[in-house]
Amino acid sequence: MRQVQIDRFGTADELQVREVEVPQPGPGEVLVRVQAAGTNPIDYKMRDGSSGAVKGVTADDFPLVLGREAAGIVETLGEGVTRVGVADQVFGVLPFGRLVPGCYSEYVIFPEGSLSVAPAGVEVTTLAGLALAGSTAWVAVHEQAKVQAGEKVLVHGGAGGVGQLVVQLCRDAGAEVWATASTANQDRLRDLGATAVDYTTTDFREVVPLVDVVIDSVYFNTFVESLDQLVEGGRIVVLPTLADTSPAVERGIEVHIPAIHPMPDEMAQLAGLVADGRVSLEVSQVLPLDQVAEAHRRLETGHTRGKIVLDLR
Ligand SMILES: NC(=O)c1ccc[n+]([C@@H]2O[C@H](COP(=O)([O-])OP(=O)(O)OC[C@H]3O[C@@H](n4cnc5c(N)ncnc54)[C@H](OP(=O)(O)O)[C@@H]3O)[C@@H](O)[C@H]2O)c1
């Protein structure tokens, strides 16, 4: 099978497509034939060595296989697997905190608890990009900020992979949403039901009222600036894992960084919302596996819209 590997931390030039053996699943594991793999900022941060997810990695751990999420067809079941069956259409995000081989690969092994069976009628490229951004948005909106109907929410980076889902989950919860993006993405924010704020022309503090919740997927030039935008007792969730939350902590403001965990039932529910047309995940670019370096270069600009997905079919 084809697989993308890196032999050391570095630029996108380190990504190498190679032929390797198909792995076999152990107990509780599932071998998935990958049809499409989602890409995420964590992929290039793991590639260049800056992500906390590769802290402690030594030369002996290479080659590494990046890519944390995928959609595909169940090929083989390991011993004791009951949640999914052979030939099921599944999608999922690999567990963090373990350096398991990633999803830039024609076959990948998932723990069964990290996979959801997909509903009919959702594009496989959409499924591939749903699990990581979806889990993050779900944790941020429902588990950490606990957004309630009638609350006001400000979302920084509303046009990004996570941001678009955060806006929609907040709207689905009955909140009123303001979201920031550049000029080109204002239409998308409005389509998602947010009041759009163009950060290239407007200081959000001048047009957004005090809010109950800020969900910040940007951090630089937004996090500290947002603390004065919260009502008394407001909450802020900041996405980048290495964000310094001390300015909020020092002021006694409730602050969270999402740590995603397997939530196959919630992700199946989210895919159901996509199938019903109540939530949309924008896949702005689909690239073949051998253009993975191009996907990383685009992600590194910090200005991709929705998701970039690799097609392995
Ligand atoms: N803690 C976790 O578990 C977790 C999970 C997932 C992601 N993350 C982190 O969360 C961040 C976002 O992830 P993502 O996948 O959504 O990234 P992404 O899709 O690459 O987000 C890019 C978006 O950010 C917007 N943006 C850039 N600068 C902005 C600014 N100054 N103000 C407002 N919007 C701005 C861009 O919109 P414009 O092009 O319009 O500027 C673009 O649409 C990344 O740092 C990622 O590593 C953390």
Side-chain angles (χ1 to χ4, degrees), residues 39-45 96 132-133 135-137 155-164 179-186 197 199-200 216-218 220-222 238-241 257-260 298-307:
T39 68
N40 292 280
I42 190 169
D43 299 356
Y44 74 74
K45 295 175 190 177
F96 283 83
L132 195 149
S135 308
T136 310
V155 180
H156 286 297
V162 181
Q164 292 198 18
T180 63
S182 62
T183 312
N185 293 328
Q186 298 292 293
V197 180
Y199 71 83
T200 68
D216 181 6
S217 74
V218 178
F220 292 105
N221 302 319
T222 52
V238 58
L239 266 52
T241 331
I257 297 176
I260 60 177
R298 291 182 190 183
L299 279 172
E300 281 174 294
T301 67
H303 296 288
T304 54
R305 180 161 147 162
K307 301 284 300 193

